[in-house]
Amino acid sequence: MSKKGWETPKMGTSEDAPKGNRRANEIGPTGRRVAENLANIRKARGWPMPRLREEMAALGRHLPATGVIKTESGERRVDVDDLVAFAVALNVSPLTLLLPDTWGDDKVWLTDRRRVESQTAWLWGQGLAPAVDANPEGDDQDAYQVGEDFRALALPAERRRAIEHPANREAQELAEMVARLVQVSGASVDGDSASVQRALRAARLRLRKLEAELEQIEITAEELDDLSRPDR
């Protein structure tokens, strides 16, 4: 497997560098992030700690009296059942608790020895890409194999086929272009209209390609419907 994306701990990152030699039961970078995200989301909901504890109990997860405060302070580890229950109780995705609240090129620790950009972490969490940052100077074949290995098992087969359909790929590309366009137009305080217009033209072209793929799906569906009719 490629070493791209593997980094030894360094200070001065967007998150505190993990400890080099961690005890087996000691909370790691993801555990600390879960604790911080849990506290932030609970407060954003306007819930006091007892409310969250009550919601957890209603889901069958009975926390100790100090369970929430110790979890948010990082003193209490969160197992996978607690993680899912917290996410259900707070009406968020488990990824919202597990991953950073940023999307960009800022670096975040996934483990003590794996650090990636926050956008890479989110794509990985959504099952769309491996937990490896793109490396323009890396081996293209090696990167391709890492991606293929990831896609082979990261998602259920039906979901994988849907994502790999040309129409879905066009839709994803279009969504990314629109996101970039929103960022460009919002950040263009001085009015860089030329770049915005270029981005708009590219997005419209991608939209036309998506429409073509959707038309092909419609044609295929109609053909299958004709074949399934009993009079044929």
Side-chain angles (χ1 to χ4, degrees):
M1 169 131 349
S2 168
K3 294 295 184 181
K4 297 189 298 298
W6 292 80
E7 298 189 34
T8 54
K10 298 176 183 178
M11 301 304 293
T13 64
S14 61
E15 293 188 341
D16 292 337
K19 296 180 180 178
N21 297 307
R22 185 182 307 285
R23 296 191 302 273
N25 63 344
E26 189 176 357
I27 191 169
T30 299
R32 292 197 302 273
R33 188 180 306 116
V34 168
E36 181 179 352
N37 286 340
L38 181 64
N40 290 339
I41 295 168
R42 177 184 62 77
K43 293 172 184 175
R45 290 279 185 236
W47 290 5
M49 289 184 180
R51 167 71 185 276
L52 179 55
R53 186 166 174 266
E54 291 169 3
E55 295 288 342
M56 291 287 284
L59 294 169
R61 301 298 293 177
H62 297 276
L63 301 179
T66 58
V68 175
I69 188 171
K70 286 188 174 182
T71 300
E72 292 185 0
S73 66
E75 298 177 59
R76 177 181 177 275
R77 295 178 65 86
V78 175
D79 64 22
V80 291
D81 292 306
D82 277 351
L83 178 74
V84 171
F86 276 130
V88 172
L90 291 164
N91 193 26
V92 296
S93 165
L95 296 181
T96 312
L97 296 173
L98 286 166
L99 298 177
D101 62 353
T102 57
W103 172 278
D105 57 5
D106 55 306
K107 295 281 190 173
V108 296
W109 294 98
L110 298 180
T111 74
D112 287 349
R113 291 294 183 272
R114 177 62 66 94
R115 187 180 64 169
V116 298
E117 295 178 354
S118 61
Q119 60 185 355
T120 298
W122 274 99
L123 291 172
W124 165 70
Q126 295 169 40
L128 299 177
V132 179
D133 288 333
N135 185 352
E137 299 179 359
D139 187 320
D140 289 342
Q141 181 59 38
D142 194 20
Y144 174 80
Q145 188 59 53
V146 171
E148 286 297 293
D149 290 346
F150 178 82
R151 285 185 285 273
L153 297 174
L155 294 170
E158 289 297 328
R159 177 59 178 156
R160 186 168 64 249
R161 282 194 288 272
I163 286 178
E164 291 174 352
H165 190 279
N168 212 329
R169 290 187 176 181
E170 292 294 342
Q172 291 175 15
E173 289 287 339
L174 178 59
E176 292 176 7
M177 293 182 75
V178 171
R180 288 195 296 269
L181 179 59
V182 171
Q183 289 178 327
V184 169
S185 61
S188 298
V189 179
D190 54 353
D192 186 2
S193 59
S195 62
V196 172
Q197 289 300 320
R198 286 194 298 272
L200 279 170
R201 286 195 295 272
R204 290 193 183 100
L205 176 60
R206 183 68 65 179
L207 179 58
R208 286 194 289 272
K209 293 177 69 176
L210 174 57
E211 288 173 343
E213 292 293 346
L214 291 176
E215 287 174 1
Q216 184 58 50
I217 292 175
E218 185 178 13
I219 292 171
T220 302
E222 290 174 351
E223 291 173 347
L224 290 174
D225 185 55
D226 289 341
L227 291 174
S228 65
R229 290 177 183 174
D231 58 341
R232 293 187 62 84

